[in-house]
Each structure stands twice: as structure tokens, then as C-alpha cells.
């Protein structure tokens, strides 16, 4: 951000682009809407990342999506022609949630999980016992039955991620663990994205809807692992010696990618291949509202492939 | 409310109680926590209402619970020894939601309903076609399948009530109707109660959790039929010639019963047989915060049975 004034978003091109990229040693990429849309890579994106890797840049992947393991991300990057990545380069909200619980939970604690098999796998990988994944039915016909189902004594956290099996039965059980444990039972959400965009403009309800349902029942706020919370950047900074002044956050969402990047003092770059149009940026920029300044990226590109020409041969 | 100053909640007893009751010709009763708890009547409540009826008072029942039909309320009142009630005296959020949709929907419109068989029955009674009740499964393994399930053309409202079959599949379908219709598809919730108290202090997630999930997905606010919205009082006022100055709202919740009563200019009476302790009232009263003044009742009793002695032989 230019000192002494509000942030103004400029197109990243030409000499300025060369200078910004030369000054960076780490780039953090959001995935959906930046590198790919569904199963199709953004045209030229894989080549761009290949060039950046060849120039010795550190490439990390920072995604709120809790529906895939790190191994699945590595495989998808490979399949779509991106440069090879190792597990330590992947910071998904599923992995970061497991990491958060490992540091926040007392030993021998378990988690009640509303989430995908991928979220369960990441918990397993860090040695946290869990239950709750998959479909669940109410344990009887009447509300009095619902509050009599056994509770596992070791559960000291409720973790909410994307869960296609989310149901009233699970919501009920989550509330019971939270009421039993009080403040000693953690409430953690992978992210607050309210919708997942699909190809063709359709959208399905995002994890944020499920987090809200649990928060409303329990009347308490969840700790959110994903962007815009800085926890995911802290995970990157624990793994690698990153200097915020030499790090670029590349994303397609203002209220997650760009907000986190700005909050952490990174250079922020919006790409227009995802959910955001430039008009939204201008709206924030011209609002005169200090809170909305955090949603204004330093730079934008139509696509990250626009960086190819300034990366040389 | 006493003119010229903040509302102070006083115990309703003795001469003041006689005067307040003599001045009233209509009493609106919340049910759970006021007349009964679960299947047990509050001791002396039935006798109290019997006396009020014998004195010629009009007794109406105003409840956010969307899980029972008006017929079921009449039967429960009878079973627990309360004076006989007719359907027109029962204002449940299920009945009032059906009434709202009947007036707000264009002819030949249908509703997608997250709710109980009772809510469905009230829609049927006013002639609104509906779908969605009961369990639902996702129509395939992948998100791309979920957004391809057929949508019924006539649906122009999503109605959210208490639904033990609430699921991600239903949330997804509700969002699809709301996105298809845009502002032409109504979003209506029966109430925002975040928890339903059970006997013994346990609680289960309330309709408010489900409403929040749908609101978060759709990024719009639902019209809420139930208390504290004045819509339920407006339903009473359409059915009977009620004078707010001669009407008492009796309830056990400050943020629903008492707030609605105060907003509508009724005399408000809190009973301590439900979810509220007197300390909460004092907290609002002493807060100096104008918004919290609306949560302070005019009067309180330990139980509505405390009114028996001032109702005479």
C-alpha cells in the first residue's frame, strides 16, 4: 500500500509488473477461480506458474476449500499441468483446521466433525480422533429422544467444514457437545464462504451456512481457520521463512483472499477469472469507508496468464 | 409504559393486579413456558384461564412453535384442563405463515417448505400447494448433479419452519429456488428462536438456526412471521376488534413475547415459569440503553397462577 493515502488498485503490467515480481520471492495462490474453474485450468495459468517456479519463486496454495486433502491438491495440480508441488506447499482449510486443533486441544481429545472425508483424513494425519462424518439420523421420534443419545466423553471440539450430509440430527448433536463442554469445547469452522460457485454460474450453499447454523444454536462465535483470518498465513510463515514485504497473495475474492493479504502486509493481486468484477473494487475504493479499504487490492490482472510476457523467456 | 420515563418492571399483585385485569378485555398467551412445560400444565394455570374466561375475557394463544396445527393446540388445551378454545383463538407461527403466504403470493403459486407436517397442513388449509416436507436426498454424487435436479415452475416462496429433516440437500434446493426467482421468490421464516428448551434444562436447535442457514446461502433476509414481528398481533387484530390499550401480552421470553407486546402498545406481563430469570429484566432496565428498553415488561409474576387470588370467587 502506498504510504500516506488510500490504496488504489492498478493493473499490473509492463515495467511495474516486472518490478513487483522481481521483488517477490513467495507467491500464495488461491486455487478455484485463479488457477482453475472446476476441472478446467485457466488458460495459460499452468505455464505462468511454471515460469515463476523456474525463476526460483516459492509457490504456495492457500484455499478455503475443505473438501480435498493435500494429496488431492497435489494430484490436481499435476493433472492440470502445473509445476510439481509438495504437501508442505498446500495450505487448505482442512489441513490448517487439523493443525489448529492439534495445537489447541488438550492431549487425548477428540473432535465431533461436520465435514468431508478429506477433513477427516487431515485430522487422522495429525492424530486427532474424530467422529461424526457421513450421514446421521435422529435417534428416535421425539425431541426427548434426541437429547438422550450417548455423547463421547473425549470430544472437546466441534469442527464445521463443508458437509453434504449436514442435517438437523448433526446440528443437534453438535449443540449437545457445545452445551456439555461450555467454553472447554472448541467451536471451529474451516471458512465462512456462503456459496461455492460452479461452472456455468450456478452456486451451491457454502460452509458459511453450516457454520452460521451451529453458531446460532450455540449462541457463540466459531474460530474461523480460513481466509480472511490470518491463521492460514501464519501456517505458511511457520513452514517457510516468508517476508510479508516480499510475498504476493493472488486471489479472486476480495473478502477472503485480498482482505487476508492486506491484513498480513502482503502485496495483493486480484485476478478477474473468478467471482469478482472490477466494479466491486471501484465501489470499495471510492466509498471513503476505511473498513472497505481492506478489500481493495494493490493490483489486478484479467488473468494470471497476463503475467507471462513480463516473465521473459 | 409509564409516560415520561423508562419502563420499570413491577410485580403484578394486589390492587394493581385487580386494576390491570379489570382494564383488559383481551389476553394473549404464549404457550410453552407459560401455560405448560412439555406435557405438564403449569400448576394453577388452567384454573387461572378458566376464571379469566368466566369473567368474559377474550383469551388468544400466540405461539412461535410451528410444529403443531391449530387443531392440535385446541386438543392440548382441552387435555390439560384449559377452557375450550376455537381455531380462531389460536395464532401459531404455522397458521400465520400460511396466512401471510396466502396474501403475499400471486394466484397459483406454490411454496417450497422446510417444515413439519403441521406447517404443511396449515398451508393446505388455505389452499397453497407445497412441496419439500419430509426427508430429501441429494440427487447424485457431485455438486454438478445437485444443481440439475428439476425445479417446480410454480414455486414462488421458500418457507422455513422447524424441520427435523433439515439437510444440506434441502438447503441446496431452497437456494436454487431463491436464485431462480430472485426478488420474485419470497423468503419467509416462521420464527427466529435459536433453541427449543426441553424439560430438565436440555435444549435442541430452534428454527432460527435453519433460517440463518438459508439466509446465509441466499444472502438476503427472511420475512419473519413470528414474535417479535408484529405480524402475529396484526393477525389477531384482523380476527377480533382488539384495543391495544385493553390487551395484555403474557409470555416467558423477553426478545419475542415482551418485545412484540411493547412494540404493539400492549400491556406486557412476564411469567417466570419459562426461560427468563428476573435478573435479565433488571439487566435491560438498568442498561440505560434505549434499544433494550423494549425488552422490559410492564409487570411480572412468578407464575400466572399468582393471578388467581385477585380474580375473586
Amino acid at each position: 500500500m502506498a504510504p500516506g493515502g488510500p490504496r488504489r488498485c492498478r493493473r499490473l503490467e509492463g515495467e511495474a509488473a516486472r518490478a513487483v515480481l522481481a521483488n517477490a520471492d513467495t507467491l500464495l495462490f488461491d486455487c478455484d477461480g485463479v488457477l482453475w474453474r472446476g476441472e478446467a485450468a485457466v488458460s495459460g495459468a499452468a505455464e505462468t506458474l511454471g515460469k515463476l517456479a523456474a525463476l526460483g519463486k516459492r509457490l504456495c496454495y492457500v484455499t478455503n476449500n475443505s473438501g480435498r486433502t493435500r494429496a488431492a491438491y497435489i494430484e490436481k495440480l499435476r493433472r492440470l499441468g502445473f509445476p510439481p508441488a509438495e504437501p508442505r506447499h498446500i495450505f487448505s482449510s482442512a489441513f490448517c483446521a487439523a493443525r489448529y486443533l492439534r495445537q489447541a486441544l488438550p492431549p487425548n481429545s477428540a473432535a465431533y466433525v461436520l465435514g468431508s472425508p478429506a477433513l477427516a483424513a487431515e485430522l487422522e494425519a495429525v492424530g486427532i480422533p474424530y467422529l461424526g462424518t457421513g450421514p446421521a439420523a435422529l435417534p428416535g421420534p421425539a425431541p426427548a429422544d434426541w437429547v438422550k443419545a450417548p455423547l463421547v466423553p473425549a470430544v472437546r471440539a466441534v469442527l464445521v467444514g463443508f458437509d453434504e450430509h449436514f442435517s438437523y440430527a448433526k446440528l443437534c448433536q453438535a449443540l449437545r457437545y457445545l452445551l456439555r463442554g461450555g467454553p472447554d469445547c472448541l467451536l471451529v469452522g474451516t471458512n465462512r464462504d456462503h456459496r461455492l460457485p460452479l461452472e456455468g454460474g450456478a452456486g451451491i450453499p457454502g460452509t458459511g451456512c453450516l457454520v452460521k447454523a451451529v453458531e446460532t444454536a450455540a449462541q457463540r462465535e466459531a474460530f474461523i481457520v480460513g481466509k480472511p483470518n490470518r491463521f492460514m498465513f501464519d501456517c505458511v510463515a511457520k513452514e517457510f521463512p516468508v517476508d510479508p514485504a516480499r510475498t504476493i497473495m493472488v486471489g479472486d475474492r476480495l473478502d477472503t483472499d485480498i482482505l487476508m493479504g492486506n491484513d498480513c502486509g502482503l502485496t495483493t493481486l486480484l485476478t478477474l477469472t473468478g467471482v469478482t468484477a472490477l466494479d466491486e473494487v471501484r465501489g470499495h475504493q471510492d466509498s471513503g469507508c476505511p473498513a472497505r479499504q481492506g478489500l481493495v487490492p494493490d493490483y489486478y490482472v484479467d488473468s494470471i496468464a497476463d503475467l507471462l510476457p513480463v516473465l521473459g523467456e
Side-chain angles (χ1 to χ4, degrees), chain A residues 92-106 111 119 122-123 126 128 156-159 183 185-190 220-226 229-232 234-235 238:
Chain A
S92 71
S93 65
F95 167 69
C96 294
R99 208 164 154 148
Y100 175 76
L101 287 181
R102 195 184 50 184
Q103 75 187 43
L105 276 177
L119 186 54
E122 295 292 10
L123 290 170
V126 300
I128 295 177
R156 288 187 191 82
V158 168
L159 171 58
C185 185
L186 305 175
L187 174 55
V188 179
T190 56
R220 54 185 273 202
E221 208 175 321
F223 175 82
I224 302 296
V225 167
N229 193 322
R230 62 171 295 133
F231 182 76
M232 285 180 106
D234 293 341
C235 288
K238 265 191 194 160

Side-chain angles (χ1 to χ4, degrees), chain A residues 204-284:
Chain A
I204 56 172
T207 305
C209 307
L210 316 183
V211 171
K212 267 288 180 202
V214 177
E215 289 182 323
T216 303
Q219 293 284 289
R220 54 185 273 202
E221 208 175 321
F223 175 82
I224 302 296
V225 167
K227 299 168 283 185
N229 193 322
R230 62 171 295 133
F231 182 76
M232 285 180 106
F233 178 70
D234 293 341
C235 288
V236 176
K238 265 191 194 160
E239 187 70 31
F240 301 107
V242 289
D243 174 359
R246 296 181 61 79
T247 301
I248 305 177
M249 174 72 218
V250 188
D252 71 322
R253 288 188 82 107
L254 303 179
D255 59 354
T256 54
D257 305 318
I258 301 305
L259 184 55
M260 184 198 78
N262 287 339
D263 280 352
C264 295
L266 318 181
T267 298
T268 48
L269 173 58
L270 174 73
T271 169
L272 302 178
T273 46
V275 298
T276 304
L278 204 54
D279 279 350
E280 288 175 61
V281 175
R282 297 198 179 109
H284 295 306

Side-chain angles (χ1 to χ4, degrees), chain A residues 14-122:
Chain A
E15 275 316 305
R18 252 179 278 272
V20 164
L21 291 168
N23 183 54
D25 50 31
T26 302
L27 290 97
L28 311 181
F29 289 96
D30 178 44
C31 299
D32 299 280
V34 175
L35 306 181
W36 54 65
R37 284 176 294 230
E39 271 308 305
V42 167
S43 171
E47 202 184 340
T48 305
L49 268 68
K51 280 267 168 70
L52 288 164
L55 289 166
K57 309 292 185 191
R58 181 187 292 121
L59 308 183
C60 295
Y61 304 89
V62 179
T63 170
N64 275 0
N65 190 322
S66 69
R68 278 205 189 87
T69 59
R70 292 197 289 168
Y73 272 103
I74 288 168
E75 167 53 23
K76 182 162 186 177
L77 286 164
R78 192 202 56 74
R79 195 165 68 240
L80 297 182
F82 288 90
E86 295 166 39
R88 59 199 292 254
H89 295 119
I90 313 286
F91 298 87
S92 71
S93 65
F95 167 69
C96 294
R99 208 164 154 148
Y100 175 76
L101 287 181
R102 195 184 50 184
Q103 75 187 43
L105 276 177
N108 305 315
S109 301
Y112 180 72
V113 178
L114 307 178
S116 65
L119 186 54
E122 295 292 10

